[in-house]
Amino acid sequence: MTAVALATACAVIFGTADFFGGLATRRSRVLAVVVCSQLGGMVLVLALMPFLPGIASSGALLWGMASGVAGGLGIVLFYRGLAMGKMSVVAPITATTAMAVPVLFGLLAGERPSVLALSGVVLGLLAVMLVSREPGGSAGLTLGPVLNALASGAGFGGFFILLKLAPADAGLWPLVGARIASIALVAALAVATRRSMRPAAGSWRVTIAAGVLDMAANVLFLLAAQRGMLILVTVLVSLYPASTLLLARYVLGERLSSTQIAGVGCALGAIALIAAS
């Protein structure tokens, strides 16, 4: 499969994982969902190791662990931002920053997409801002939540960059390192704050499903990043909120705003432009 196809599939699965994660957090404690879902993801990546073998070098594990710390901090800061401010403010800033950081890194590293592909990148940035925004998003815009959202987005963007920097022959070992680090980080946070890591009854299946889908998306991202430019792969992957919105619309019956519908349209346009480049 091409990098574009892998990244697009990754976005769809990431969005589905977020949908299941959202259902899980409605039924159980957030930190319990994060820890247990990531354990489920670890089981999947270990099961896939024989089919996607690689060299277990120190570089593979260290880059992976660094990405896991960045992603884990991104998650913690994201939830902290949600506690401080409105979702309609925090989510679009986080999502846009998570896309912009790898794009800037790719440009500085010498990646030069075509004009058509760059048009898709710009449209993708617009799409992420639109699909992540809820009505009334400009209200309650204060410095604290904004800075927290920027830091959270930088953490997520760092996750993508650090995985890209892992050795090309590492196979799935960077994801093993990433998961070890992120599980340890979130578990330590749960212990420090005396939060239970046991999901509520009835939430196990959806929690594990979220973790397995999240890891499947991580695998697809790693494969895509090994085959294509970080700029284009990250932009396509960052369109995942569109699939989350569509699942919420057709499974839960939630209504989408005109802004979010426009964002979904921009996302489809961004995919088409990057694929055609």
Side-chain angles (χ1 to χ4, degrees):
M1 296 177 71
T2 67
V4 171
L6 288 167
T8 303
C10 174
V12 173
I13 296 176
F14 256 140
T16 307
D18 267 16
F19 176 75
F20 278 100
L23 292 179
T25 54
R26 291 182 181 182
R27 305 175 185 179
S28 187
R29 307 168 188 88
V30 169
L31 288 180
V33 169
V34 173
V35 171
C36 293
S37 65
Q38 295 206 0
L39 287 172
M42 176 67 88
V43 172
L44 175 65
V45 75
L46 292 177
L48 291 175
M49 294 290 286
F51 304 100
L52 296 168
I55 299 174
S57 64
S58 58
L61 290 173
L62 289 175
W63 282 116
M65 293 180 75
S67 72
V69 171
L73 288 173
I75 292 173
V76 172
L77 289 169
F78 181 64
Y79 285 126
R80 183 170 180 266
L82 293 181
M84 294 169 60
K86 290 187 175 183
M87 167 74 81
S88 54
V89 172
V90 173
I93 294 174
T94 299
T96 307
T97 306
M99 181 191 292
V101 168
V103 168
L104 291 174
F105 178 86
L107 291 173
L108 292 173
E111 292 186 355
R112 294 295 181 266
S114 67
V115 174
L116 192 62
L118 284 175
S119 300
V121 169
V122 173
L123 195 58
L125 285 167
L126 178 61
V128 169
M129 288 188 286
L130 293 177
V131 298
S132 302
R133 183 165 294 281
E134 296 178 0
S138 59
L141 188 64
T142 56
L143 184 60
V146 169
L147 293 176
N148 207 91
L150 289 171
S152 173
F156 290 135
F159 172 81
F160 292 130
I161 293 171
L162 293 166
L163 275 185
K164 172 70 173 179
L165 293 175
D169 59 359
L172 299 183
W173 283 106
L175 292 178
V176 174
R179 197 53 92 219
I180 290 172
S182 60
I183 290 173
L185 178 66
V186 179
L189 178 63
V191 171
T193 57
R194 298 182 180 180
R195 304 287 179 84
S196 173
M197 288 182 284
R198 182 181 178 83
S203 67
W204 277 98
R205 289 184 180 180
V206 68
T207 299
I208 297 302
V212 169
L213 288 168
D214 178 70
M215 179 53 73
N218 284 329
V219 171
L220 289 172
F221 170 79
L222 189 60
L223 294 175
Q226 291 169 350
R227 291 164 171 77
M229 293 185 190
L230 177 65
I231 292 175
L232 302 184
V233 169
T234 304
V235 168
L236 291 173
V237 170
S238 297
L239 299 176
Y240 71 88
S243 59
T244 306
L245 281 179
L246 291 175
L247 283 169
R249 169 66 181 87
Y250 291 106
V251 176
L252 301 180
E254 295 183 4
R255 300 185 64 179
L256 304 184
S257 68
S258 57
T259 300
Q260 291 172 322
I261 293 172
V264 172
C266 289
L268 295 175
I271 293 171
L273 286 172
I274 292 174
S277 64

